Amino acid sequence: MEKVAIIQARMGSTRLPGKALLPIAGFPIVVLAAKRAARNGLGVRIATSSERSDDLITETVEKAGISVVRGPAEDVLSRFVEATVDLSDESLVIRLTGDNVFPDADFIDMIVEEFQARNIEYLVTGIQNSGLPYGLSAEVFRCAVLREAHQKAKTHYEREHVTPWIKSTYGLNVFKPTDLPKSWGALRCTIDNLEDYARVCQVFKIYGGDLVHASWIELCKILAELPDAPKFRVPGREYGGRFHSILILGTAQLGMEYGRANTSGCPSEDEAMQILKAAVNLGVTHVDTARAYRDSERRIGLFLRRGYHQTIRVIT
């Protein structure tokens, strides 16, 4: 059975522009992600957009000897279909993203083996409550399922994010390793913002060896030992295929002087960002706010635009 990893990447990140080509010890991020995935001989292809802004990604990865397929900027599902047009229906696709460099060939082999053993149509790793750091993520499905999604997915959201239709049709099957430290589930190794980038660079710098051959387990051990690494994660439950923490952060005090016990007034904007960041790092999935909370909504919006829009949801 043929297997291929498809790594989606674009230059147009609003939170960290051009992040796909930012360097980590001399490797552009997307190139490092591809080389780590291909280490054991797996075929790897980069799926980027046909926009001129992504010409540089194409030039960079082709120069590194990596295959590139280009397609619509917003219809990423179509890009994946284009990238697998030469494969049989039974071929396996491993979906990766160019801002996650921790997944390596051994990690991919592990989840492919799990996918085949469970005889399912879809498997995902790295989501909240999986026990893995956020960003150590991959999805596995057959080409036949990808092509079915291409035919039947209609909404912009389904087509931009590739797998929502597959999840809703075939179920959210999550890979949850049982032999990892519990604290690893509280870690973050994705690159969504400048702080994330600095953290991942620090991990690889501490590792100090051949970055392509660095084990994902060894990298996670280093990540867990960083001074600011969270040691605890708020527990939660899955409802409707999404993880919900058992605690919700109320944010009236982020935008106004609120509460009988409040003796310090409204926090500064920087303090508000630190409070929200602490909540995310500890696994809180929702914040509660209201238009009447004066500056609260605006401050939460600023926080989301710093790269946290996928890790916390707003009730307002």
Side-chain angles (χ1 to χ4, degrees):
M1 180 185 298
E2 190 169 2
K3 303 184 288 290
V4 63
I6 310 295
I7 303 178
Q8 67 185 71
R10 283 189 65 192
M11 292 292 284
S13 169
T14 57
R15 298 170 302 281
L16 189 58
K19 66 179 177 180
L21 297 182
L22 289 176
I24 296 180
F27 285 99
I29 285 175
V30 67
V31 172
L32 180 59
K35 287 185 175 294
R36 287 176 53 75
R39 189 179 66 215
N40 292 349
L42 178 70
V44 175
R45 304 169 185 182
I46 305 299
T48 192
S49 87
S50 54
E51 295 187 351
R52 290 185 61 185
S53 59
D54 289 322
D55 289 350
L56 191 54
I57 286 182
T58 301
E59 295 170 10
T60 301
V61 297
E62 285 182 339
K63 188 175 181 180
I66 303 165
S67 298
V68 185
V69 176
R70 306 185 71 169
E74 303 300 329
D75 190 352
V76 188
L77 179 55
S78 290
R79 267 195 259 163
F80 271 67
V81 171
E82 288 285 334
T84 56
V85 69
D86 60 321
L87 302 179
S88 70
D89 280 350
E90 293 305 309
S91 298
L92 293 188
V93 177
I94 300 95
R95 179 183 178 233
L96 304 170
T97 56
D99 53 3
N100 292 330
V101 292
F102 271 41
D104 66 353
D106 294 339
F107 180 77
I108 293 170
D109 289 344
M110 179 178 65
I111 63 171
V112 167
E113 182 179 343
E114 175 80 5
F115 175 83
Q116 293 173 324
R118 288 169 63 173
N119 193 29
I120 52 181
E121 297 293 349
Y122 173 79
L123 182 67
V124 62
T125 75
I127 66 170
Q128 288 169 314
N129 208 33
S130 70
L132 289 165
Y134 180 73
L136 194 63
S137 56
E139 296 172 287
V140 187
F141 42 87
R142 292 184 300 114
C143 275
V145 171
L146 176 68
R147 289 161 184 162
E148 184 183 8
H150 181 54
Q151 293 174 352
K152 297 180 179 179
K154 302 301 181 184
T155 69
H156 175 79
Y157 180 81
E158 289 173 331
R159 304 200 67 86
E160 182 183 11
H161 296 282
V162 184
T163 57
W165 184 90
I166 297 174
K167 294 175 190 175
S168 64
T169 303
Y170 291 102
L172 183 69
N173 303 301
V174 182
F175 176 58
K176 298 181 179 181
T178 58
D179 55 349
L180 300 178
K182 289 185 178 180
S183 63
W184 283 16
L187 302 175
R188 180 180 173 92
C189 62
T190 191
I191 302 175
D192 263 342
N193 53 48
L194 191 58
E195 184 178 350
D196 290 337
Y197 173 58
R199 181 187 306 112
V200 172
C201 286
Q202 184 179 6
V203 169
F204 278 101
K205 182 178 180 180
I206 293 171
Y207 176 77
D210 182 346
L211 303 193
V212 173
H213 288 83
S215 163
W216 69 273
I217 293 178
E218 185 63 30
L219 295 176
C220 287
K221 288 179 180 178
I222 296 172
L223 182 67
E225 292 301 319
L226 294 181
D228 61 346
K231 305 298 182 184
F232 168 79
R233 192 168 189 86
V234 174
R237 304 181 182 91
E238 288 182 15
Y239 295 102
R242 302 192 76 168
F243 179 76
H244 297 256
S245 61
I246 62 172
L247 295 179
I248 293 173
L249 178 67
T251 61
Q253 289 162 310
L254 296 190
M256 55 193 282
E257 296 183 10
Y258 179 84
R260 293 184 64 182
N262 183 355
T263 60
S264 59
C266 180
S268 69
E269 193 150 289
D270 181 65
E271 289 171 331
M273 298 301 110
Q274 293 301 316
I275 291 169
L276 290 166
K277 177 186 169 185
V280 168
N281 288 343
L282 292 173
V284 173
T285 60
H286 291 73
V287 295
D288 167 70
T289 187
R291 188 64 50 86
Y293 294 169
R294 297 182 188 169
D295 216 21
S296 176
E297 283 188 329
R298 185 190 65 81
R299 287 179 165 185
I300 293 169
L302 288 175
F303 181 74
L304 297 180
R305 287 197 291 272
R306 294 185 178 186
Y308 294 98
H309 68 295
Q310 293 180 329
T311 55
I312 199 160
R313 297 186 286 280
V314 180
I315 304 167
T316 186

